[in-house]
Amino acid sequence: MTQSGAEYAETVQYVAQGRAKGRSLKPLRVLLPFLRPYRGPLIGAVLAMVVAASATLIMPAMLRGLVDQGFSASRIEEISHYFFLFLAAAGAMGVSGATRFYFVTWIGERVTADIRKAVFDHVLGLTPAFFEVTRTGEVLSRLSADTTLVQTVLGSSASFAIRNVLMAVAGIALMFLTSWKLTALVVAGVFVVILPLIAFGRWVRKLSRESQDRLADTSAHAAETLNAVPTVQAFSREDDERARYAKATEESFVIAILRTRARAVMTAVATFAVFGCIVGVGWVGAQEVLAGIMSPGQLVQFIIYAILVGGAFAAVSELWGDLQRAAGASERLVELLETKPAITPPANPKRLITPAKGAVRFENVSFRYPLRPDTAALDEMSLSVEPGEAVALVGPSGAGKSTVFQLLLRFYAAQSGKISFDGTDIAELDPTELRKHISLVSQDPVIFSGTIADNIRYGRPGADDEAVRNAAEGAAALEFIEKLPDGFNTRLGERGITLSGGQRQRLAIARAMLRDAPLLLLDEATSALDAENERLVQQGLANLMAGRTTLVIAHRLATIQKLKRIVVMEDGKAVAEGSHDELVAKGGLYGRLAALQFAAAAQ
Ligand SMILES: Nc1ncnc2c1ncn2[C@@H]1O[C@H](COP(=O)(O)OP(=O)(O)OP(=O)(O)O)[C@@H](O)[C@H]1O
């Protein structure tokens, strides 16, 4: 169960390495697997596009007939016939346009929803190491802004682009049939136009990546600040935060405008060049008509084709920018999807014997946090806890107590040594399976938005109301819950900010009680309680600990004084162990801590 620095580097690859520097639309390829399941609507959309393009392209041919045959009263029927055909073509354009719009929008929405789910599902499985280097706001921005960009492209730009390419290709073929000479002139002109467009396109793509990055920075900053409004206000830092946000927003504005300018120039150059080219060719055509080489109807047909083709090219050049932005966004989404969790379940995970007993063993475990490779958080740590035993971990701040929990929960993998649960190396278990056997009450419990009952039930979804109530009672939370306006159905704010720290802790304890797992991890579980409530909760905890293996981290020695086994940690190692009295008798670190705390309490 060793994890090298290299593996960690892989975890944070997209941050560390920067992004692949492709300049094409290739990243859009990654959307293909998401499109594959929707062949039906895709075929529908393509058919509708083909019908729309055909209906558009047939019109100039009809116009040619109309012009060449001339308008005279004797041809009234034929002329009406042409207009009837125009009407039919218009109808076909309307219906196929609507069909294309429906299918394409449907695909855009569907695929974006799938991508959002895939990214969220994936990110939720990444280990804490990933979140140490990635701000939540950045992930959120990818989930919303980047997926929205992809949606715009799939839901409209791509189909416009494809339709215009279709029009251009078919239009050029028809132009060729109408007059190959003039067509050759147009094609030559268009090539002259395309080369500068490609250069522009690259520039726009670079700018749009930057603008997306800035947007992500801005939202990350906003999320961080908004989550800490009381702290910001308490330190009177509102103006600084406003200034920081304004600066980030302005920067992203400047880049967005640069991008827009580039696109504006690109559009102007493209439009003028294409239509200028058509005008020139039209002039050559007029000479041919005058010389009797071409009929006027042919010239009209040719010019309309040329305008359609020119319009199609102009549209594609404008959409090119959109497509490139979406390519950038897809690249960022895929980077997220491809980030591998630092810890993955083994190919053939072992299964725990049921019912699990909760025996825990650390054998010479050494561990350094990925972001602090120079300091050992655990240094050859050994610890053995029998099933049903309660052991306290004490020691100065930074001694590595919480790290023991982090490793047991397999949020990180130790670099050397072995950690086993019921005799099985935890590296050989599926982490999700392992965690099902662990209940954690953390120092700063998280309360989710929802009701009090929902929050307790988080420990064991599906538990009945009575079990929830019993858990609350055991955690000494019943009294305060019943005083709330809606009792167990009281809704809590986004992060339970309407509860006091002590109340949150009691909810977290109730959650752990309901979870009913064989191994209980208590990280300063009663630190936010007053003496009265602590006494009540201690009783609940005692009930909870009975028959379970428990590891307790405590700063206040009074809370663990009665436990038979106390392990003293210092600098990532267990340096002493014994009962309170034994350790006090030995003196040492524990003796000093106890002397300080109990002397203070006695005063
Ligand atoms: N995610 C992290 N990344 C890098 N270093 C960390 C991380 N978490 C903890 N550390 C470091 O690892 C060492 C052990 O930390 P740990 O949280 O296990 O200590 P502790 O004994 O639980 O302390 P406390 O009682 O203050 O909670 C400390 O030096 C700490 O700074």
Side-chain angles (χ1 to χ4, degrees):
M1 58 176 258
T2 50
Q3 193 214 16
S4 64
E7 269 176 82
Y8 177 68
E10 202 178 50
T11 319
V12 295
Q13 57 200 341
Y14 82 89
V15 174
Q17 290 172 0
R19 291 149 186 151
K21 298 271 182 291
R23 286 205 172 87
S24 61
L25 296 182
K26 265 195 207 138
L28 284 177
R29 201 183 40 194
V30 299
L31 300 176
L32 285 181
F34 288 97
L35 284 166
R36 212 160 280 144
Y38 307 114
R39 284 208 182 89
L42 270 175
I43 294 173
V46 170
L47 283 183
M49 273 186 243
V50 171
V51 172
S54 315
T56 315
L57 291 169
I58 213 162
M59 288 205 188
M62 295 194 291
L63 206 59
R64 170 191 181 171
L66 204 60
V67 171
D68 279 350
Q69 284 165 17
F71 286 88
S72 72
S74 62
R75 314 192 86 104
I76 182 89
E77 244 181 58
E78 259 174 79
I79 291 174
S80 305
H81 179 68
Y82 273 116
F83 277 94
F84 178 73
L85 285 180
F86 276 127
L87 199 64
M93 275 165 74
V95 172
S96 57
T99 316
R100 181 189 55 87
F101 170 76
Y102 176 77
F103 279 132
V104 163
T105 313
W106 187 92
I107 294 169
E109 297 282 349
R110 185 64 261 156
V111 168
T112 313
D114 290 351
I115 294 180
R116 283 206 174 108
K117 285 191 285 183
V119 171
F120 185 77
D121 287 359
H122 183 74
V123 170
L124 209 55
L126 295 176
T127 45
F130 171 79
F131 295 95
E132 280 169 16
V133 290
T134 316
R135 288 176 298 180
T136 329
E138 166 146 3
V139 178
L140 283 180
S141 149
R142 287 181 188 208
L143 268 180
S144 50
D146 285 347
T147 47
T148 308
L149 257 181
V150 170
Q151 180 179 348
T152 320
V153 158
L154 290 179
S156 64
S157 312
S159 88
F160 279 130
I162 295 172
R163 191 186 66 170
N164 282 304
V165 168
L166 255 177
M167 288 274 295
V169 172
I172 290 173
L174 290 170
M175 276 163 70
F176 199 79
L177 286 180
T178 319
S179 164
W180 66 266
K181 225 161 107 189
L182 294 187
T183 312
L185 270 178
V186 172
V187 171
V190 165
F191 269 109
V192 177
V193 173
I194 281 186
L195 290 178
L197 281 189
I198 291 175
F200 260 134
R202 290 185 176 173
W203 185 33
V204 171
R205 186 158 189 263
K206 192 171 147 266
L207 290 175
S208 42
R209 279 211 83 129
E210 260 182 66
S211 125
Q212 283 299 109
D213 278 348
R214 284 293 135 77
L215 193 67
D217 284 350
T218 323
S219 24
H221 172 241
E224 191 181 287
T225 316
L226 293 181
N227 273 330
V229 166
T231 315
V232 173
Q233 292 180 349
F235 285 87
S236 314
R237 295 292 300 267
E238 296 96 313
D239 285 342
D240 299 322
E241 295 297 347
R242 281 184 193 123
R244 258 177 72 190
Y245 187 73
K247 190 163 164 268
T249 315
E250 287 306 320
E251 275 173 10
S252 81
F253 170 77
V254 168
I255 295 199
I257 291 305
L258 268 179
R259 190 192 72 223
T260 312
R261 250 183 236 162
R263 275 190 67 174
V265 171
M266 188 159 117
T267 314
V269 171
T271 314
F272 178 72
V274 169
F275 285 96
C277 188
I278 292 172
V279 170
V281 172
W283 186 80
V284 175
Q287 307 302 314
E288 301 225 318
V289 171
L290 290 179
I293 304 171
M294 255 180 130
S295 75
Q298 232 176 332
L299 181 61
V300 168
Q301 182 186 8
F302 183 85
I303 289 188
I304 297 180
Y305 279 143
I307 291 175
L308 286 178
V309 171
F313 269 101
V316 170
S317 76
E318 195 167 330
L319 291 171
W320 198 253
D322 272 352
L323 293 179
Q324 286 182 323
R325 287 179 69 192
S330 324
E331 214 173 345
R332 293 151 60 95
L333 287 169
V334 168
E335 278 163 8
L336 261 189
L337 281 174
E338 285 178 353
T339 308
K340 294 191 184 61
I343 294 175
T344 42
N348 296 306
K350 285 197 175 163
R351 297 198 67 80
L352 287 170
I353 335 138
T354 40
K357 296 194 195 69
V360 169
R361 211 175 150 84
F362 277 62
E363 289 169 60
N364 303 318
V365 174
S366 293
F367 173 69
R368 292 159 194 268
Y369 280 98
L371 286 187
R372 288 190 61 192
D374 48 332
T375 325
L378 287 188
D379 182 13
E380 299 278 314
M381 166 85 186
S382 292
L383 173 73
S384 176
V385 187
E386 299 304 316
E389 197 183 10
V391 174
L393 296 178
V394 301
S397 185
K401 306 177 295 283
S402 304
T403 307
V404 168
F405 284 14
Q406 302 272 335
L407 293 188
L408 258 177
L409 284 160
R410 216 163 147 67
F411 288 150
Y412 298 91
Q415 280 93 15
S416 67
K418 180 173 154 189
I419 302 175
S420 52
F421 184 91
D422 277 357
T424 312
D425 186 339
I426 60 169
E428 293 172 355
L429 296 171
D430 180 345
T432 319
E433 188 59 30
L434 167 72
R435 290 173 200 148
K436 280 189 183 146
H437 295 89
I438 303 178
S439 271
L440 169 74
V441 182
S442 60
Q443 217 166 343
D444 183 21
V446 174
I447 302 294
F448 296 96
S449 57
T451 63
I452 295 257
D454 293 341
N455 265 287
I456 298 178
R457 213 172 261 130
Y458 204 84
R460 179 154 57 93
D464 61 24
D465 289 349
E466 199 187 327
V468 169
R469 198 185 158 82
N470 289 342
E473 193 169 9
L478 195 55
E479 197 192 328
F480 89 80
I481 293 174
E482 283 181 335
K483 278 193 197 134
L484 290 172
D486 293 317
F488 279 91
N489 295 321
T490 308
R491 297 199 72 82
L492 301 175
E494 198 188 341
R495 290 198 302 165
I497 38 176
T498 50
L499 292 185
S500 73
Q503 289 167 335
R504 295 218 309 246
Q505 254 179 1
R506 279 177 281 167
L507 275 198
I509 293 169
R511 192 185 281 164
M513 288 207 169
L514 195 61
R515 186 162 178 85
D516 196 22
L519 176 61
L520 180 64
L521 303 179
L522 303 175
D523 190 351
E524 292 280 323
T526 56
S527 60
L529 300 182
D530 55 35
E532 169 64 13
N533 276 309
E534 173 153 6
R535 195 181 52 77
L536 290 170
V537 174
Q538 283 298 347
Q539 186 51 49
L541 282 178
N543 298 340
L544 180 62
M545 286 156 70
R548 264 176 250 276
T549 315
T550 313
L551 277 169
V552 192
I553 294 180
H555 273 136
R556 278 182 300 158
L557 304 182
T559 57
I560 44 108
Q561 204 179 351
K562 291 201 194 82
L563 295 186
K564 286 199 201 79
R565 218 175 132 207
I566 298 169
V567 172
V568 187
M569 286 187 70
E570 191 175 18
D571 297 332
K573 279 192 275 280
V575 289
E577 71 167 82
S579 68
H580 173 78
D581 293 338
E582 285 163 4
L583 287 168
V584 168
K586 268 193 210 160
L589 180 59
Y590 190 88
R592 285 202 303 279
L593 288 174
L596 273 172
Q597 289 192 15
F598 292 107
Q603 273 171 10

